[in-house]
Amino acid sequence: MKKCILFFVFLSFFVFDHARLCAQNIKPSGGPTLVIHGGAGTILRENMTPEDEKAYHTKLKEALNAGYNILNSGGTSEDAVIAAIMIMEDSPLFNAGKGAVFTNEGTNEMDASIMNGGDGSAGAIAGVKTIKNPILAAQAVKNNSEHVMMSGNGAEQFAADQNLELVDPSYFFTERRKMQLDKLKDAEKSNEEGSIKKWKDYKYGTVGAVALDKNGNICAATSTGGMTNKKYGRIGDAPVIGAGTFANKICGVSATGHGEYFIRNVVAYDIAAIMEYKKVPLGAATENVVMEKLVKIGGGGGVVALDVKGNISMSFNTPGMYRGYIQKEGKARTYIYKIEG
Ligand code: ASP
């Protein structure tokens, strides 16, 4: 009897975990390729209206098409990821730029990074409050400075010197994100576990893109407002090269999820390293990291990735991840939940 109960407990964990795991691997098209995400987390069909779903699909498609137009006309993967990410940063739907989540102090502090696999160059900014499109500042650090990462006031000063658009911090105020902060703070005050979990789950929503251009160069980029209610200048994985973003001549990866786990496990680089050292294909490498290693330690989230042949992988261990891809034929395909397409 005892054995039987143990078996069912084991089985229920197995079923529970696998119900949340998703690996969507797409074969190469032989042309320019772009894959994006708009964050992973507890994205459940029952909490979304048809209008919400439509809004996400429309914005993801807009981002994919913008990147594709650049790639298709011979533009670089760097320009393509920047174009796709800026569209998502300008939308209040995602936790990046305009839709960034709130810190404990009621501010919005953003992180972003970009890495070009072709030449190995990288740039990142962290904890910025006034840069309208943080990804442009990350790119400027990469291309126009001798550094890889800048933070806070210094990064803002650099962005100003680079003539990037700065805005009043109030630009990043959205009712929806403020409400999420208030609900999470109330839940933490009353110490209700269920409701803390519910509002914490809304922390995810980072955006990312990885592109392969006609010259075979890969570029990956990620932009985020971080996690709701973050304190003390907390910085997540998104601006950490190797954790939230990585690209080389083999593959490119952009991550989303609980940043602390992604930093400790150097997630984006781990995928690239597994491919390089173990000669494992992209899909198997992302599945190993996202669906085995991260699951084992409780690190919720996912990645989008592609390799130099144009294989695409979108893997996550949460109920949903806003995501999509576009290949040679130019049809943008977008997804939200686990089982689709
Ligand atoms: N990875 C981001 C962070 O930890 C959050 C997210 O992906 O939603 O800051």
Side-chain angles (χ1 to χ4, degrees):
M1 181 64 183
K2 213 171 156 192
K3 269 189 184 161
C4 209
I5 292 172
L6 278 175
F7 172 73
F8 278 109
V9 170
F10 170 75
L11 192 72
S12 66
F13 275 121
F14 184 82
V15 169
F16 172 74
D17 268 339
H18 282 75
R20 298 167 77 101
L21 303 178
C22 179
Q24 217 175 338
N25 296 315
I26 315 295
K27 293 211 168 72
S29 66
T33 308
L34 172 65
V35 60
I36 62 172
H37 69 77
T42 306
I43 307 163
L44 298 170
R45 210 181 287 271
E46 60 262 33
N47 296 337
M48 299 272 281
T49 64
E51 292 75 34
D52 291 336
E53 290 181 352
K54 195 167 169 238
Y56 278 101
H57 283 297
T58 305
K59 218 17 112 179
L60 289 170
K61 284 196 166 86
E62 190 185 327
L64 286 168
N65 287 326
Y68 177 82
N69 289 340
I70 291 171
L71 293 173
N72 200 38
S73 54
T76 64
S77 51
E78 181 165 329
D79 286 345
V81 295
I82 292 281
I85 287 194
M86 279 178 71
I87 285 172
M88 294 189 280
E89 282 183 341
D90 289 343
S91 162
L93 292 175
F94 304 99
N95 172 19
K98 175 67 187 155
V101 298
F102 281 82
T103 66
N104 179 264
E105 295 82 42
T107 55
N108 310 93
E109 295 180 10
M110 288 147 287
D111 309 329
S113 70
I114 182 165
M115 184 162 192
N116 189 316
D119 61 9
S121 60
I125 49 102
V128 297
K129 299 180 187 165
T130 60
I131 302 173
K132 181 169 178 274
N133 289 105
I135 198 63
L136 288 179
Q139 186 191 30
V141 171
K142 179 177 97 60
N143 293 344
N144 307 331
S145 88
E146 64 205 88
H147 305 301
V148 170
M149 190 190 281
M150 295 182 190
S151 70
N153 294 340
E156 286 172 349
Q157 183 56 54
F158 176 73
D161 293 347
Q162 293 288 311
N163 295 320
L164 296 182
E165 187 175 356
L166 301 183
V167 289
D168 188 84
S170 62
Y171 164 80
F172 299 102
F173 181 94
T174 56
E175 279 299 336
R176 175 172 166 245
R177 297 300 190 191
K178 182 65 171 52
M179 187 267 291
Q180 286 171 6
L181 174 68
D182 294 344
K183 293 273 190 200
L184 181 54
K185 278 186 165 179
D186 287 350
E188 285 185 344
K189 222 181 267 163
S190 57
N191 212 7
E192 279 169 43
E193 219 178 280
S195 123
I196 293 174
K197 193 179 172 326
K198 177 179 168 195
W199 293 105
K200 267 193 174 165
D201 277 340
Y202 282 96
K203 282 178 172 178
Y204 305 145
T206 294
V207 306
V210 190
L212 171 68
D213 60 31
K214 283 184 173 168
N215 293 325
N217 275 340
I218 298 171
C219 188
T222 313
S223 179
T224 188
M227 294 176 85
T228 306
N229 205 22
K230 62 185 181 182
K231 297 186 181 95
Y232 309 118
R234 178 263 187 195
I235 308 285
D237 60 314
V240 178
I241 296 297
T245 303
F246 188 74
N248 60 15
K249 289 193 162 59
I250 298 170
C251 70
V253 182
S254 169
T256 172
H258 195 148
E260 281 66 13
Y261 292 84
F262 284 65
I263 295 174
R264 285 193 290 259
N265 294 281
V266 204
V267 162
Y269 179 71
D270 196 22
I271 291 168
I274 289 172
M275 285 186 73
E276 183 172 359
Y277 301 141
K278 286 177 113 180
K279 308 283 175 237
V280 162
L282 179 80
T286 64
E287 283 166 40
N288 178 214
V289 173
V290 175
M291 291 159 59
E292 290 170 37
K293 290 182 168 189
L294 281 173
V295 167
K296 240 180 236 160
I297 54 171
V303 302
V304 296
L306 55 75
D307 71 12
V308 73
K309 292 188 194 120
N311 284 293
I312 296 173
S313 180
M314 300 175 283
S315 293
F316 52 97
N317 59 34
T318 51
M321 178 166 83
Y322 301 109
R323 63 198 186 278
Y325 68 91
I326 191 161
Q327 294 174 299
K328 192 179 175 184
E329 88 281 15
K331 180 161 170 43
R333 292 169 215 271
T334 56
Y335 308 84
I336 298 177
Y337 312 109
K338 189 194 154 195
I339 307 151
E340 279 173 80

